[in-house]
Amino acid sequence: MDSLGALPIFIQAAETRSFTAAGQQLGLSASAVGKAIARLEGRLGVRLFHRSTRTITLTQEGHLFLARCRRILGEVAAAEQELADTHATPSGRLRVSLPMVGMLLMPAVNAFIRTYPEIEPDLDFTDRLVDVIGEGFDVVLRTGDAADSRLMTRVVGTFHHRLVASPIYLERHGTPIEPADLVHHVCLRHRYPTTGKLEAWPLRQDRPAGAIEPPATVVASALEPLISMAEAGLGIVSLPDFVLHEHLRTGHLVPVLSDHTAHSGVFRLLWPSSPYLPPKLRVFIDFMTENLFPSK
């Protein structure tokens, strides 16, 4: 602990290049600063400063030690702040970017807002690849892999796409037995609003003649209208399972071609890398991890 107490003295002396100036800023005499540095050098067994009558300069070992000392004291400050924050109420503006399907995840967001009323969420809904740091987001929710080394990440849940239709539709039009049958059905397709591309259906492609492309009989840029149309008996739709639990439980929608679909994905939270997490961000990450995809 005595060595740790000498580190701020060493850093101040290195930055001011003067025992006298360092002492003035720390409320110590130049002699006390010099003795503290000498004791530190004695413990380390190396010379940290070149000394002259007018100035001091770091040795090569001193430069290496200075960089490490700054990191150590930064970690200590972060630890102290983190402990202090355990007694603080999470509050303030929290900028969150959610995918367009985020509307279907709003029950968890609503529960978070009720649980932490002092936090002020600023929610941005988009499917584009946002610059988390450059655009000033505190945290984003996205599917897929994390490729930015500047970001921390935590997986909050997995999901699967399933093909579903209403019993009314299947009674009227028949149930497809294999993917090739879809060309004779009304297919409700989702188009990504940011790219204009149709979202692929999770069909196993076992045909040697080529891939099956379901017809785009009806197209929508949001999932909610597709869910409504499917429930109304207007066609077959591909949807992530996290939006289907209640629809399947009530029988309003039923799976089709389950043996011919294969897809899995992950939702993950990403936020700027830092040794210190603000309380508002820490509780959001923990809450979403526990509540975004509750046990089915």
Side-chain angles (χ1 to χ4, degrees):
M1 292 302 295
D2 184 45
S3 297
L4 187 61
L7 299 188
I9 298 176
F10 165 70
I11 292 174
Q12 197 66 52
E15 291 177 346
T16 60
R17 297 187 177 185
S18 167
F19 290 166
T20 300
Q24 290 173 345
Q25 296 189 22
L26 295 171
L28 300 171
S29 66
S31 175
V33 172
K35 290 178 180 179
I37 297 298
R39 288 194 297 271
L40 184 59
E41 290 175 325
R43 281 192 294 271
L44 297 174
V46 297
R47 181 179 289 275
L48 299 173
F49 290 102
H50 297 297
R51 297 164 172 81
S52 70
T53 56
R54 293 187 177 183
T55 186
I56 57 173
T57 57
L58 287 169
T59 63
Q60 182 179 359
E61 294 81 4
H63 279 291
L64 294 173
F65 191 59
L66 177 62
R68 186 63 63 89
C69 288
R70 283 172 170 161
R71 287 197 294 271
I72 291 172
L73 292 186
E75 289 291 334
V76 170
E80 291 176 344
Q81 186 64 55
E82 188 172 350
L83 288 175
D85 287 338
T86 60
H87 303 290
T89 300
S91 62
R93 180 72 61 185
L94 183 71
R95 293 202 67 213
V96 183
S97 178
L98 299 165
M100 294 303 294
V101 297
M103 282 300 298
L104 303 171
L105 306 174
M106 283 305 293
V109 177
N110 293 342
F112 174 79
I113 294 172
R114 286 192 295 267
T115 304
Y116 296 99
E118 299 300 319
I119 296 178
E120 303 166 356
D122 183 347
L123 307 178
D124 176 75
F125 291 89
T126 180
D127 282 328
R128 68 183 178 85
L129 186 64
V130 300
D131 182 348
V132 181
I133 297 174
E135 297 181 48
F137 286 106
D138 294 298
V139 61
V140 304
L141 177 70
R142 287 295 184 271
T143 61
D145 297 325
D148 193 333
S149 61
R150 302 173 302 164
L151 303 178
M152 302 292 290
T153 180
R154 182 185 296 182
V155 173
V156 295
T158 61
F159 66 96
H160 303 270
H161 267 80
R162 304 181 70 177
L163 301 188
V164 294
S166 73
I168 296 175
Y169 173 85
L170 298 177
E171 182 180 345
R172 292 173 179 171
H173 301 275
T175 300
I177 304 302
E178 58 182 38
D181 295 338
L182 290 173
V183 298
H184 305 297
H185 283 268
V186 176
C187 294
L188 312 174
R189 302 292 299 273
H190 173 242
R191 186 191 303 279
Y192 292 111
T194 53
T195 65
K197 294 182 179 180
L198 290 174
E199 183 175 10
W201 279 21
L203 297 169
R204 286 197 178 98
Q205 303 294 349
D206 301 325
R207 298 171 71 250
I212 294 292
E213 178 63 25
T217 316
V218 179
V219 177
S221 62
L223 294 187
E224 291 89 341
L226 296 174
I227 296 172
S228 176
M229 286 185 279
E231 283 194 311
L234 298 181
I236 300 173
V237 67
S238 172
L239 294 169
D241 57 2
F242 61 84
V243 308
L244 289 173
H245 303 318
E246 185 64 19
H247 303 285
L248 295 175
R249 187 189 67 79
T250 59
H252 292 161
L253 295 175
V254 296
V256 297
L257 294 174
S258 295
D259 293 336
H260 297 276
T261 58
H263 171 273
S264 64
V266 298
F267 270 109
R268 65 177 71 244
L269 291 170
L270 303 105
W271 63 94
S273 178
S274 171
Y276 164 67
L277 281 183
K280 61 183 180 180
L281 177 55
R282 174 173 46 80
V283 297
F284 182 82
I285 294 169
D286 291 342
F287 190 92
M288 289 297 128
T289 300
E290 295 176 6
N291 296 281
L292 198 56
F293 294 99
S295 299
K296 301 173 186 179

